[in-house]
Amino acid sequence: RGVWVVAAAGGGAAALGATAGMYVLVACPAGNRLVNSLGGTFAHDLQACRACDDDQYVIDSTMGNLTCQACPAGAVCSGGVLTGGRVSGSVWAPDLSRGVFVLLSCPPGYELIGGLATATSSTMLTAAAAQDCSPCAAAYYCVGGSAASSACPTGTFAPALSNSSSACLPAVFVRVTFTLPLPKASLTAARLANLTAALAAVAQLPASAIVIESISDQRRA
């Protein structure tokens, strides 16, 4: 499996450290990482194409010893290949120097999170895996690209996924505090969605107008 060439004196394969006449693995099928050296030194007997898991990708199968990377939260990976973003309109690009895909921008109504601009060498892989286009939260607007979300001015409100300050309209806020016979840990995303829908029905408002500000396990005496 893969593309093999015979090393010639002064040729590209010889530059890896291979002796003229040796077979050298120079490319693997997409989704496979290329192994042809050890510690930067050509290793004839270790040459192989190693498949990445379905939830991983390798950025280039023709560059030796790049590792398989975790599929970012906002991307779709299949067969060791990053095939695109989960959110339509998100822009991803390969960064060969770091061996990862970088999320460059998100469409309006979404905020780019987990960016690599401030990542250090020790946090880079974690940051790369966290990259995502997160839906803009209610009471905020997101213009897209790599810009952070912006809060609506005091006394105004915008529904989730808003993409412009013009979505922030004057509003009257009613804060309600209540107790549920459930521990905080049991409030899954699905239960919170159902709770939001129930509150919206009682208030006769769209669910986008309901914001759950905080959840606490504290009990009233």
Side-chain angles (χ1 to χ4, degrees):
R1 219 171 38 153
V3 178
W4 297 78
V5 299
V6 178
L16 294 173
T19 302
M22 282 185 173
Y23 277 93
V24 178
L25 179 62
V26 295
C28 291
N32 289 257
R33 66 185 185 93
L34 168 63
V35 178
N36 61 10
S37 65
L38 180 64
T41 302
F42 176 69
H44 178 272
D45 295 342
L46 296 180
Q47 297 181 98
C49 292
R50 304 198 182 279
C52 296
D53 294 336
D54 272 344
D55 59 351
Q56 297 178 320
Y57 72 91
V58 63
I59 196 169
D60 191 328
S61 293
T62 66
M63 296 180 65
N65 294 318
L66 288 177
T67 58
C68 296
Q69 303 291 346
C71 192
V76 177
C77 297
S78 177
V81 177
L82 191 150
T83 58
R86 294 187 182 277
V87 174
S88 177
S90 57
V91 178
W92 298 79
D95 183 337
L96 294 177
S97 65
R98 292 188 280 192
V100 297
F101 268 92
V102 177
L103 178 58
L104 298 180
S105 69
C106 296
Y110 290 82
E111 180 181 17
L112 191 157
I113 61 173
L116 300 182
T118 59
T120 65
S121 57
S122 62
T123 63
M124 191 270 294
L125 294 183
T126 300
Q131 295 177 104
D132 197 3
C133 288
S134 178
C136 202
Y140 289 79
Y141 63 93
C142 301
V143 297
S146 59
S149 61
S150 299
C152 284
T154 302
T156 66
F157 180 83
L161 292 174
S162 292
N163 58 26
S164 168
S165 60
S166 62
C168 299
L169 300 177
V172 175
F173 296 88
V174 177
R175 180 168 291 168
V176 178
T177 302
F178 55 90
T179 302
L180 293 174
L182 296 169
K184 178 179 177 179
S186 71
L187 293 176
T188 62
R191 281 183 167 175
L192 288 174
N194 290 336
L195 175 60
T196 299
L199 292 172
V202 170
Q204 297 184 346
L205 293 170
S208 60
I210 305 298
V211 178
I212 298 177
E213 290 186 321
S214 62
I215 302 172
S216 173
D217 270 329
Q218 294 180 353
R219 295 176 177 273
R220 291 186 175 183

